[in-house]
Amino acid sequence: MISKEIRQKYLEFFKARGHEIIPPAPLVLAEDPTTLFTSSGMQPLVPYLLGEAHPSGQRRLVDSQPSLRLGDIEEVGDNRHTTFFEMLGNWSLGDYFKAEQLPWFLEFLTKELGLAKEKLWVSVFEGDKTTGVPRDEESLAAWQKLGIPKERIFFYGVKKNWWSRSGEPALMPVGEIGGPDSEIFYEFADVPHDPKFGETCHPNCDCGRFLEIGNSVFIQYQKQADGSLKELSQKNVDFGGGLERLVAAASDNPDIFQTDLFLPIIKRLENLSGRNYLQDPETTRAMRTIADHLRAAVMIARDGVLSSNKAQGYVLRRLLRRLLLFTKKLGLEASGDYFLGLISILAESYGDIFPDLEEKKAEIATSFREEADRFDEVLKSGIKEINKVPMIDAKTAFYLFESFGLPFEITEEIAREKGQTIKKEDFQKEVEKHQKLSRQGAESLFKGGLADQSYEVTRLHTATHLLHEALRRVLGDHVRQEGSNITAERLRFDFSHSAKLSVEELKNIEDLVNEQIAKNLIVTETVQDLSAALASGARAFFREKYPERVKIYSIGPSFSREICGGPHVASTKELGRFRIIKEEAVAQGVRRIKAVLENGGQKIF
Ligand code: SER
């Protein structure tokens, strides 16, 4: 069975059980100051898991969410890890619970995908003394009733059977939601257990015999300031299953790169290089990495990101440079045709869900080719840099990686030529040191946002709507939002406009925004059908795919109307004074404004 069929069957299965099919959120999050990419299906749904009514008016939802997780990037190359994946998800927003969810998913696996029940193993939460969350007897009973024998039910603690965006309870920031979960694993009977991973095999063993294919999270807790967990006002189900893995299970082939999602890419790499995918471990690893990184890079570029040194652009660059490295290893040249050929395969296989790829593929191929040129330059200057140091150690390797984007593999190779060795573990330690520092940064950001957006971000968000409208009124109707990013300190707004803004234009824009602020305009929220909202002239971000029912925020009776998830302040009085601090170009035909709010206004509610 192929991926398209499985995706469709899943959506229809849950639709038949009262779920509304919702469009996925974009992969690249332009408006979220805390996260670069959507990394799970529940991420866009947090407000509704917390109790807010979903704009569709429904409490049962289902979708397929393109997601990106970079934590496993180093694992890519084995037969099951990817950075980009599609997460099939279904949710109960305080509606059904374990007694419905577990039988439904099992039925989907056995009846719709035809998986043999004997090959399915499950895991259940064993309970946790620290937080007092009890052992999940209800799920255990449900699985037994469904005919899963005791021998195939395993209990694990918070490290394996607890889910939140930040992991186990101790790592959850205040306000974050999560809960115990129950996972299903598919057993590849032909894969023998590898004792390297432990004496006995079990569902969470990493030897490759078991593959996790679905996770039902029972989101019912919220982290409190005193470290405890409080029951939410509603008990939710958050199910997620990786489409790629479900396809592998349905084909009873543990190598997800041999499913229809990747095979055409692998075949093309075989043709170009004259090598066989399975001829030796190095070739297999190179082809898998190229296939994964290419797909992830294309999905990021599809949302309008270009490689750069910051944020999403940096991730794209990193994926592309790794891809280029493995391309070299296969003896291939990363020409424009190389990229176009590969991207065309993706445009075709994703034609039904991402039809825009066909139109964008040539432009994406050109931008990848440009990155390949820059990378060649980097290699040259990085190599020059290496030649300056007498001894290459892990610190130097990390410096070259951070500052020049020089992959470890290259530095290692040059060191080897000079008769020196650098240990990958030492390099890895340097990377971890750095990651720890940036994680600390991310955590402090996290506290301000997401589940409960900080007041500063909310104020700047409302100011962004005023700016968007003011730009159109001053510069003209051609102005379209190209991106937006808000931190507690400033807003940043990218928009289409071909010329540098004059001092006078900037002043007119600033004045127009400040006039609205001075009028103490009330901000109101309504819910409407998307078509009606667009027909009434509400502003929309053209890159975003909206659901059928949307929220519209209006500022004043007629100044600004924009489709948006919120939140916003209650009145413009809360904004204080708006000041533009920078205007610059970010790309051909795209300008960027950074602005701040001064003299903090007053919170009304
Ligand atoms: N949120 C859970 C996960 O990402 C299930 O959807 O695994």
Side-chain angles (χ1 to χ4, degrees):
M1 202 180 301
I2 59 166
S3 53
K4 266 188 199 137
E5 247 177 281
I6 294 184
R7 187 192 294 123
Q8 203 50 36
K9 269 181 191 274
Y10 176 78
L11 296 173
E12 272 159 22
F13 181 87
F14 281 94
K15 188 174 172 197
R17 284 155 188 81
H19 291 63
E20 171 96 2
I21 302 180
I22 54 169
L27 178 66
V28 173
L29 293 166
E31 293 253 14
D32 190 330
T34 58
T35 329
L36 299 177
F37 301 100
T38 300
S39 63
S40 65
M42 66 76 87
Q43 195 172 320
L45 299 174
V46 171
Y48 317 113
L49 293 164
L50 278 163
E52 193 181 312
H54 189 267
S56 68
Q58 305 298 316
R59 292 166 68 192
R60 297 181 178 194
L61 309 173
V62 62
D63 76 3
S64 173
Q65 175 64 55
S67 307
L68 190 77
R69 288 186 189 173
L70 295 158
D72 290 337
I73 192 166
E74 296 286 338
E75 318 276 334
V76 175
D78 68 8
N79 64 1
R80 59 192 180 279
H81 282 97
T82 61
T83 50
F84 174 87
F85 61 98
E86 256 182 83
M87 180 86 111
L88 301 180
N90 64 271
W91 292 271
S92 156
L93 306 173
D95 190 37
Y96 60 86
F97 208 45
K98 298 173 188 177
E100 290 84 5
Q101 171 59 24
L102 301 179
W104 277 343
F105 186 55
L106 187 69
E107 183 186 343
F108 175 73
L109 292 178
T110 52
K111 302 251 168 70
E112 300 290 324
L113 302 195
L115 299 188
K117 205 167 166 185
E118 303 69 53
K119 294 194 171 170
L120 299 175
W121 297 58
V122 303
S123 68
V124 177
F125 185 56
E126 75 178 7
D128 175 44
K129 285 210 183 76
T130 317
T131 50
V133 178
R135 187 172 122 117
D136 188 357
E137 301 294 349
E138 223 178 314
S139 295
L140 170 69
W143 288 126
Q144 283 187 310
K145 197 169 143 207
L146 289 164
I148 305 284
K150 246 190 7 247
E151 305 74 57
R152 296 212 308 271
I153 305 177
F154 281 69
F155 281 89
Y156 298 94
V158 289
K159 290 213 187 309
K160 295 285 181 202
N161 276 77
W162 181 274
W163 201 89
S164 83
R165 285 173 297 175
S166 343
E168 58 189 280
L171 299 176
M172 289 162 67
V174 177
E176 181 61 347
I177 55 175
D181 64 44
S182 184
E183 301 182 329
I184 290 204
F185 298 79
Y186 182 79
E187 181 184 15
F188 292 102
D190 294 340
V191 178
H193 171 63
D194 181 347
K196 194 170 95 195
F197 296 95
E199 215 168 289
T200 48
C201 199
H202 59 104
N204 272 311
C205 174
D206 286 325
C207 72
R209 186 175 175 92
F210 292 98
L211 184 70
E212 183 215 321
I213 52 174
N215 185 11
S216 300
V217 187
F218 306 112
I219 297 202
Q220 63 189 107
Y221 296 102
Q222 187 174 36
K223 182 79 174 261
Q224 304 299 299
D226 65 5
S228 67
L229 293 170
K230 190 176 142 199
E231 291 256 3
L232 290 170
S233 57
Q234 63 186 39
K235 288 182 176 176
N236 307 288
V237 173
D238 156 31
F239 170 81
L243 174 65
E244 293 73 4
R245 291 177 168 206
L246 285 162
V247 181
S251 353
D252 197 29
N253 184 340
D255 184 359
I256 63 164
F257 293 92
Q258 291 191 38
T259 62
D260 71 308
L261 289 161
F262 293 104
L263 208 51
I265 300 271
I266 302 279
K267 285 247 153 69
R268 185 163 183 102
L269 293 172
E270 282 187 323
N271 286 339
L272 292 173
S273 67
R275 296 196 198 185
N276 203 312
Y277 170 56
L278 294 173
Q279 74 179 45
D280 55 69
E282 277 305 296
T283 304
T284 309
R285 179 159 176 255
M287 289 189 182
R288 285 173 178 165
T289 310
I290 295 172
D292 171 73
H293 289 11
L294 173 88
R295 190 173 68 147
V298 167
M299 294 301 169
I300 295 173
R302 175 182 166 259
D303 277 0
V305 175
L306 294 171
S307 351
S308 73
N309 282 334
K310 274 197 231 141
Q312 288 99 344
Y314 176 69
V315 172
L316 176 58
R317 168 161 289 170
R318 192 158 165 226
L319 286 163
L320 284 174
R321 290 189 174 183
R322 284 176 53 98
L323 182 161
L324 290 164
L325 199 67
F326 285 100
T327 299
K328 273 189 209 298
K329 286 197 176 171
L330 290 184
L332 294 174
E333 202 208 320
S335 65
D337 282 352
Y338 170 74
F339 284 119
L340 189 59
L342 291 174
I343 301 170
S344 299
I345 296 174
L346 290 178
E348 197 184 318
S349 52
Y350 283 100
D352 54 340
I353 55 168
F354 304 132
D356 56 318
L357 265 184
E358 188 54 39
E359 200 182 298
K360 293 178 180 163
K361 67 183 185 188
E363 201 183 321
I364 296 177
T366 306
S367 71
F368 285 8
R369 169 68 221 151
E370 284 166 5
E371 180 59 19
D373 287 341
R374 282 189 291 263
F375 188 51
D376 276 339
E377 288 303 310
V378 161
L379 288 181
K380 278 189 211 136
S381 47
I383 289 166
K384 227 194 254 165
E385 204 62 24
I386 291 185
N387 288 332
K388 286 188 202 154
V389 294
M391 184 70 200
I392 310 169
D393 57 11
K395 269 201 169 44
T396 319
F398 182 68
Y399 163 74
L400 291 166
F401 168 71
E402 262 306 89
S403 318
F404 294 88
L406 200 68
F408 173 75
E409 287 83 352
I410 300 231
T411 310
E412 188 193 28
E413 221 165 283
I414 298 172
R416 198 179 311 131
E417 277 166 21
K418 294 184 163 195
Q420 306 171 0
T421 45
I422 333 172
K423 280 208 201 113
K424 176 109 195 204
E425 299 102 82
D426 295 344
F427 172 76
Q428 213 48 48
K429 272 189 206 134
E430 292 296 322
V431 175
E432 273 156 29
K433 245 196 260 167
H434 175 81
Q435 276 171 347
K436 207 166 146 205
L437 287 175
S438 48
R439 225 183 353 256
Q440 280 160 358
E443 268 160 24
S444 54
L445 261 179
F446 193 93
K447 284 197 189 95
L450 275 192
D452 90 56
Q453 294 263 1
S454 78
Y455 186 49
E456 285 70 27
V457 170
T458 306
R459 289 171 67 228
L460 283 160
H461 190 188
T462 307
T464 304
H465 281 212
L466 290 176
L467 171 65
H468 188 182
E469 186 59 34
L471 285 167
R472 290 180 66 108
R473 295 197 184 196
V474 173
L475 302 175
D477 276 351
H478 61 277
V479 168
R480 275 193 325 192
Q481 175 177 350
E482 291 284 342
S484 163
N485 168 287
I486 306 172
T487 68
E489 283 79 37
R490 54 107 186 112
L491 67 83
R492 193 180 84 195
F493 191 74
D494 296 348
F495 57 99
S496 47
H497 184 65
S498 52
K500 182 169 174 57
L501 272 60
S502 67
V503 174
E504 199 190 334
E505 281 170 334
L506 287 171
K507 183 164 182 330
N508 288 343
I509 292 161
E510 216 177 67
D511 287 351
L512 188 55
V513 170
N514 280 317
E515 275 162 32
Q516 310 315 311
I517 295 178
K519 283 186 196 159
N520 295 342
L521 298 175
I522 298 296
V523 182
T524 49
E525 178 193 327
T526 48
V527 174
Q528 260 192 334
D529 281 343
L530 176 63
S531 51
L534 291 173
S536 75
R539 302 266 172 263
F541 182 21
F542 73 103
R543 287 221 180 91
E544 190 112 23
K545 205 166 161 209
Y546 293 101
E548 262 166 53
R549 298 275 293 167
V550 291
K551 266 202 241 177
I552 297 131
Y553 280 90
S554 307
I555 307 182
S558 61
F559 188 73
S560 143
R561 273 166 59 72
E562 197 164 319
I563 300 176
C564 169
H568 284 277
V569 298
S571 155
T572 58
K573 184 170 155 186
E574 298 176 53
L575 303 187
R577 208 188 138 68
F578 173 80
R579 192 162 68 84
I580 295 177
I581 53 170
K582 195 163 189 175
E583 191 273 336
E584 62 187 343
V586 263
Q588 184 75 36
V590 182
R591 312 291 307 177
R592 165 171 294 175
I593 280 186
K594 285 189 184 162
V596 293
L597 288 172
E598 293 169 335
N599 311 330
Q602 262 178 9
K603 188 164 181 165
I604 300 191
F605 297 128

